[in-house]
């Protein structure tokens, strides 16, 4: 066989990824996967190289959510794989399609203490829905097809592909490689799973009857509905029935936050008083108080729409409908159209939600209207909100938010008018996702500006990735709320400051007035230090217009925040 006609496992893996539609990869290269990344780039896959596997994994998971295609990231063996577990576990918790590919040690040397040796299949099992190792080069195309398919099938999640060093170095002829690719594609088509299972007509009828006869119905929508691209169908259901809706944090934007039937500003009233609620693409977990009293009425009837039958079995709602959010909404709309009903703006429940929303919004606006200097959290957040809205038009910027106070205040103040334009700590409450998510959004949506609104603690987890922003010239503006600590510096009482290390900084403290903007400048990006409304407005206007990598370091009063980070808005 002519050596010129042979390709190795790196090339075959890259060809497999390209054949099955992978357009972007994230990761950290090194032995034994550098060649795989290089080969993928030569085949048209854009590879975004990170400094840390955790951030690469977070980027891949967010990319999976934003595109509804598996986000793929690459790591080296051993510690690289372990670092990547953060991204895999985040994908699983948020049910986002993600694939981690890791190199691993030579199979013949396993158990002998080889370089970066780890039983990676066992290591990833708790964090994945499917994991597979290619033990021979001939298995690579089919293994690639399997992980990509499993990532999006049923309830999306994280999958793992292990590529041992010896397999990456094995060779096959060009003709054999083409045959393997063709066979894998044919098998994938044969085994392709249909996510749109048949929805039981009787359950649709029961759901409509419950909503029709409810006195205080509510629609709750989550990021699962956003992932399913269900915004048009949701709009029809809400406006056809007149039922108020409540989005979860990343469900914001499926319908505009300022929609007349939005119940966000009256959340406590909505969930506390509703008698029938249909939950679409959201789980009855901690974010929704588990659907239990005292936040919810003990008599509320839940209609739970979820792609996973296991989720419905776990939650035991009054009525469970297994199906894709978009598909179920289409059927509901079709059936309601034949026998319509609409609450109308004068309906007591709709009127109560509207009045409470207006009342709470007025209270919030009164607080936001004050220019407080040194900055509290509300003043700069209002200025940021207004700058994003003034940026105007469509497509709207993607807003990435993490932190304790910063994320909580941002959720209440920042306005989403388009779906999938808010990314935050999510179901798992993961801190450190910020810059990875920013990079994913910039890659997935190259026509959108990306604005990160970050606490200094959350930002610090991935701050080195500002170099990645500059290297790829991504249109990301990172705004850091710098209050000198996890909740705002030293919050200890006098009695707590004792012991042999009492002179050390508090566990919550960072270096005061840290120059986060100068770190961006060190790599060639633009940095801004701001402490007044005019300085912040100027920095936002300039950076938004430039659409270049920038960090705006917003100095906040270190005593302005809440230690818990969970603002207890009474609404």
């Amino acid at each position: 066989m002519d050596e010129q006609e042979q390709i190795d496992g790196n090339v075959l893996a890259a060809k497999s990824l390209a054949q099955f539609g992978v357009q972007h990869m994230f990761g950290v290269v090194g032995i034994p996967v550098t060649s795989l990344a290089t080969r993928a780039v030569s085949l048209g896959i854009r590879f975004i190289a990170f400094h840390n596997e955790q951030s690469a994994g977070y980027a891949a998971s967010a990319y999976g959510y934003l595109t509804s295609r598996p986000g793929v990231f690459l790591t080296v063996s051993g510690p690289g794989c372990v670092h990547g577990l953060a991204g895999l576990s985040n994908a699983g918790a948020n049910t986002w399609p993600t694939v981690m590919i890791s190199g691993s040690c030579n199979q013949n040397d396993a158990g002998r203490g080889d370089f970066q040796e780890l039983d990676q299949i066992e290591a990833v099992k708790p964090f994945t829905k499917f994991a597979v190792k290619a033990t021979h080069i001939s298995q690579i195309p089919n293994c690639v097809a399997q992980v990509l398919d499993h990532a999006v099938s049923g309830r999306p999640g994280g999958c793992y592909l292990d590529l041992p060093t010896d397999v990456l170095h094995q060779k096959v002829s060009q003709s054999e490689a083409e045959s393997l690719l063709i066979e894998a594609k044919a098998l994938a088509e044969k085994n392709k799973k249909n996510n749109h299972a048949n929805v039981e007509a009787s359950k649709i009828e029961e759901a409509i009857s419950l909503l029709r006869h409810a006195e205080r119905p509510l629609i709750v929508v989550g990021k699962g509905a956003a992932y399913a691209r269900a915004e048009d169908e949701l709009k029809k259901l809400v406006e056809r029935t007149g039922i108020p809706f409540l989005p979860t944090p990343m469900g914001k934007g499926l319908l505009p936050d300022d929609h007349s039937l939005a119940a966000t500003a009256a959340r406590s009233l909505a969930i506390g008083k509703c008698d029938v609620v249909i939950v679409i693409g959201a789980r009855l977990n901690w974010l929704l108080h588990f659907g239990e009293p005292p936040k919810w009425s003990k008599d509320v009837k839940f209609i739970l729409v979820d792609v996973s039958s296991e989720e419905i079995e776990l939650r035991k709602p009054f009525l469970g409908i297994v199906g894709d959010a978009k598909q179920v909404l289409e059927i509901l709309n079709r059936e309601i159209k034949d026998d319509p009903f609409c609450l109308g703006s004068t309906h007591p429940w709709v009127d109560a939600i509207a009045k409470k929303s207006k009342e709470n919004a007025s209270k919030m606006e009164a607080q936001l209207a004050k220019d407080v200097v040194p900055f509290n959290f509300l003043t700069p957040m209002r200025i940021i909100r207004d700058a994003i809205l003034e940026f105007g038009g469509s497509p709207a910027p993607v807003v990435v938010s993490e932190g304790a106070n910063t994320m909580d205040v941002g959720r209440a103040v920042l306005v989403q008018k388009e779906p999938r334009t808010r990314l935050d700590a999510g179901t798992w409450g993961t801190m450190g996702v910020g810059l990875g998510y920013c990079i994913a959004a910039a890659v997935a949506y190259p026509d959108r500006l990306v604005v990160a609104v970050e606490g200094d603690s959350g930002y610090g987890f991935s701050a080195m990735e500002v170099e990645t922003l500059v290297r790829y010239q991504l249109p990301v503006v990172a705004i850091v709320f710098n209050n000198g600590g996890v909740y705002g510096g030293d919050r200890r009482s006098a009695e707590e400051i004792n012991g042999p290390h009492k002179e050390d900084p508090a566990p919550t403290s960072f270096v005061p007035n840290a120059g986060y903007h100068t770190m961006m400048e060190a790599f060639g990006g633009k940095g801004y230090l701001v402490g007044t409304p005019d300085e912040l407005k100027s920095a936002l206007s300039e950076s938004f217009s430039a659409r270049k990598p920038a960090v705006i370091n917003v100095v906040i009063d270190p005593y302005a925040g809440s230690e818990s980070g969970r603002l207890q808005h009474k609404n």
Side-chain angles (χ1 to χ4, degrees):
M1 187 187 302
D2 187 348
E3 190 70 24
Q4 294 295 321
E5 296 178 355
Q6 291 187 312
I7 63 171
D8 68 7
N10 292 290
V11 178
L12 186 56
K15 282 179 173 286
S16 301
L17 291 164
Q19 171 174 279
F20 289 107
V22 174
Q23 298 175 8
H24 298 95
M25 289 176 68
F26 310 91
V28 178
V29 297
I31 297 171
V33 296
T34 304
S35 180
L36 170 53
T38 303
R39 295 296 187 173
V41 171
S42 71
L43 290 170
I45 297 171
R46 191 180 190 196
F47 189 91
I48 307 296
F50 280 71
H51 288 274
N52 181 279
E53 291 94 350
Q54 289 187 1
S55 290
Y58 294 146
S61 67
Y63 180 92
Y65 168 64
L66 294 171
T67 65
S68 299
R69 300 191 303 271
V72 179
F73 71 109
L74 183 67
T75 84
V76 299
S77 48
C81 173
V82 171
H83 291 168
L85 293 180
L88 271 186
S89 55
N90 189 65
N94 286 294
T95 70
W96 293 345
T98 306
V99 171
M100 179 167 81
I101 301 173
S102 297
S104 60
C105 73
N106 276 293
Q107 294 175 92
N108 289 339
D109 292 327
R112 302 174 61 202
D114 195 21
F115 175 67
Q116 295 188 333
E117 181 184 339
L118 174 70
D119 186 344
Q120 292 167 197
I121 292 291
E122 283 299 314
V124 304
K125 275 184 179 179
F127 309 104
T128 57
K129 55 185 292 192
F130 178 76
V132 65
K133 175 187 282 192
T135 58
H136 188 270
I137 186 172
S138 62
Q139 298 173 358
I140 289 175
N142 192 43
C143 286
V144 169
Q146 287 183 76
V147 290
L148 293 173
D149 179 57
H150 277 277
V152 295
S153 297
R155 165 161 282 177
C159 293
Y160 173 72
L161 172 59
D162 193 288
L163 295 176
T165 300
D166 52 302
V167 172
L168 290 171
H169 291 162
Q170 289 170 359
K171 293 185 177 181
V172 293
S173 67
Q174 287 275 16
S175 59
E176 186 177 354
E178 290 305 314
S179 295
L180 290 169
L181 289 165
I182 291 168
E183 289 170 13
K185 188 172 184 179
L187 187 60
E189 288 297 322
K190 180 181 177 183
N191 294 335
K192 197 168 187 178
K193 299 174 181 66
N194 180 14
N195 263 2
H196 287 200
N198 291 328
V199 178
E200 294 180 50
S202 62
K203 293 194 172 183
I204 292 291
E205 291 172 8
E206 187 178 355
I208 292 172
S209 178
L210 285 165
L211 293 170
R212 185 189 303 275
H213 295 104
E215 293 182 13
R216 298 176 301 281
L218 181 68
I219 297 170
V220 172
V221 290
K223 63 181 180 292
Y227 173 83
R229 303 300 199 269
E231 52 268 21
D232 291 342
E233 291 72 22
L234 175 65
K235 185 174 188 288
K236 285 180 184 176
L237 180 66
V238 167
E239 296 182 352
R240 184 169 286 165
T241 63
I243 297 174
F245 70 93
L246 178 69
T248 63
M250 271 193 272
K252 280 164 61 72
L254 272 163
L255 290 179
D257 283 346
D258 57 3
H259 192 286
S260 62
L261 288 166
T264 307
R267 187 178 189 272
S268 294
L269 172 66
I271 69 175
K273 298 295 184 183
C274 63
D275 59 353
V276 173
V277 55
I278 182 167
V279 181
I280 305 164
R283 285 170 283 175
L284 294 175
N285 56 20
W286 69 275
L287 284 163
L288 290 173
H289 313 290
F290 306 103
E292 296 173 350
K295 296 291 186 180
W296 297 86
S297 165
K298 62 181 177 62
D299 299 318
V300 65
K301 294 177 179 177
F302 284 102
I303 305 166
L304 184 57
V305 177
D306 200 284
V307 74
S308 167
S309 59
E310 290 84 0
E311 180 68 21
I312 289 171
E313 289 166 10
L314 171 66
R315 306 298 176 184
K316 295 179 173 55
F318 185 85
L319 176 64
I321 300 176
V322 179
D324 172 80
K326 181 172 182 169
Q327 174 196 18
V328 172
L329 282 167
E330 284 173 346
I331 298 170
L332 285 169
N333 283 323
R334 187 167 63 242
E335 296 302 315
I336 289 171
K337 185 180 178 183
D338 293 338
D339 188 9
F341 68 94
C342 185
L343 301 189
S345 60
T346 60
H347 187 281
W349 173 239
V350 177
D351 184 55
I353 293 287
K355 283 181 176 175
K356 192 64 175 175
S357 294
K358 187 175 181 180
E359 176 189 329
N360 287 333
S362 295
K363 290 178 182 177
M364 175 64 80
E365 286 303 316
Q367 294 182 63
L368 291 169
K370 305 168 188 172
D371 278 344
V372 178
V373 180
F375 279 146
N376 60 9
F377 282 85
L378 292 174
T379 297
M381 199 68 76
R382 181 206 77 221
I383 295 169
I384 293 165
R385 177 197 67 184
D386 293 347
I388 292 172
L389 291 174
E390 286 168 14
F391 189 74
S394 184
V398 175
V399 175
V400 176
S401 185
E402 68 174 329
N405 296 283
T406 307
M407 185 171 66
D408 287 339
V409 174
R411 184 171 59 248
V413 176
L414 301 177
V415 176
Q416 261 67 52
K417 293 194 175 186
E418 295 182 21
R420 295 168 296 279
T421 56
R422 178 181 171 84
L423 294 166
D424 63 25
T427 303
W428 225 22
T430 310
M431 290 296 124
V433 295
L435 288 181
Y437 281 9
C438 287
I439 292 166
V443 168
Y445 295 156
D447 56 340
R448 293 183 189 264
L449 176 70
V450 181
V451 180
V453 186
E454 306 250 308
D456 52 356
S457 175
Y459 175 76
F461 281 74
S462 60
M464 191 62 188
E465 302 301 345
V466 296
E467 188 276 337
T468 309
L469 299 180
V470 175
R471 190 169 7 116
Y472 293 98
Q473 282 298 295
L474 300 175
V476 175
V477 177
I479 305 165
V480 183
F481 278 46
N482 181 359
N483 63 355
V486 175
Y487 299 115
D490 194 341
R491 297 301 184 92
R492 295 174 295 178
S493 65
E495 306 84 67
E496 292 175 307
I497 304 175
N498 52 41
H501 306 293
K502 64 182 179 181
E503 299 303 322
D504 277 357
T508 56
S509 296
F510 298 150
V511 171
N513 301 312
Y516 297 111
H517 59 296
T518 62
M519 185 175 177
M520 171 59 96
E521 290 172 343
F523 296 115
K526 183 69 175 177
Y528 303 86
L529 175 64
V530 304
T532 69
D534 286 344
E535 289 172 347
L536 179 55
K537 289 174 185 176
S538 175
L540 290 168
S541 176
E542 184 178 309
S543 61
F544 284 10
S545 297
R547 293 176 62 92
K548 297 286 186 181
V551 168
I552 302 175
N553 187 3
V554 184
V555 179
I556 306 291
D557 182 345
Y559 298 101
S562 163
E563 186 169 355
S564 71
R566 285 192 184 185
L567 300 186
Q568 301 299 322
H569 292 307
K570 292 184 179 180
N571 56 20

